[in-house]
Amino acid sequence: MGIEMRVFLMVGMVLCLVSIAHAAQGTAVWYKPPYTPSKCYGNQNNGAMVAGVSDKLWNNGAACGKMYRVRCIGGANLAPHPCKQGTSVVVKIVDYCQRGCTGDINLSRDAFAQIADVDAGIVKVQYDQA
């Protein structure tokens, strides 16, 4: 293997490690439509790929409008095969999930269904800003 190929492989490995190092882990749940009104945008429709966040990410409203890539990494209960392997979803933060929120990220049903079985209800996720 030539030196150029070795350098290319090393750079690729470092970039993968850096992206993993910046990803946080937590739990995600889902909620059903309608997705308005929301804490960030009131009655403005922001589509179906949206989420609310708990205090862990809310930061006094600074989370509004941020985009997160979310990937299911495992079950958080006894549901069999909760994750859809190899998938991720990008969501826009539009809401604040305060009392009774059982996840760090409260995904729209549509977004949750892209990465996990909705019957699982709650899953472990990895997320980072998109």
Side-chain angles (χ1 to χ4, degrees), residues 27-30 49 69-74 81-91 105 107-118 120 123-127:
T27 56
V29 294
W30 62 271
M49 296 303 168
R69 179 175 308 281
V70 183
R71 183 172 67 91
C72 181
I73 58 171
H81 315 294
C83 296
K84 294 183 179 176
Q85 297 300 319
T87 62
S88 66
V89 64
V90 175
V91 294
I105 299 179
L107 297 169
S108 67
R109 185 184 191 289
D110 301 277
F112 192 95
Q114 292 255 333
I115 62 167
D117 179 359
V118 292
V123 293
K124 294 177 187 173
V125 292
Q126 185 175 54
Y127 58 91

Side-chain angles (χ1 to χ4, degrees), residues 46-69:
N46 285 280
M49 296 303 168
V50 294
V53 293
S54 68
D55 288 325
K56 182 176 180 179
L57 295 169
W58 181 243
N59 193 18
N60 292 321
C64 288
K66 289 188 178 179
M67 305 292 283
Y68 282 92
R69 179 175 308 281

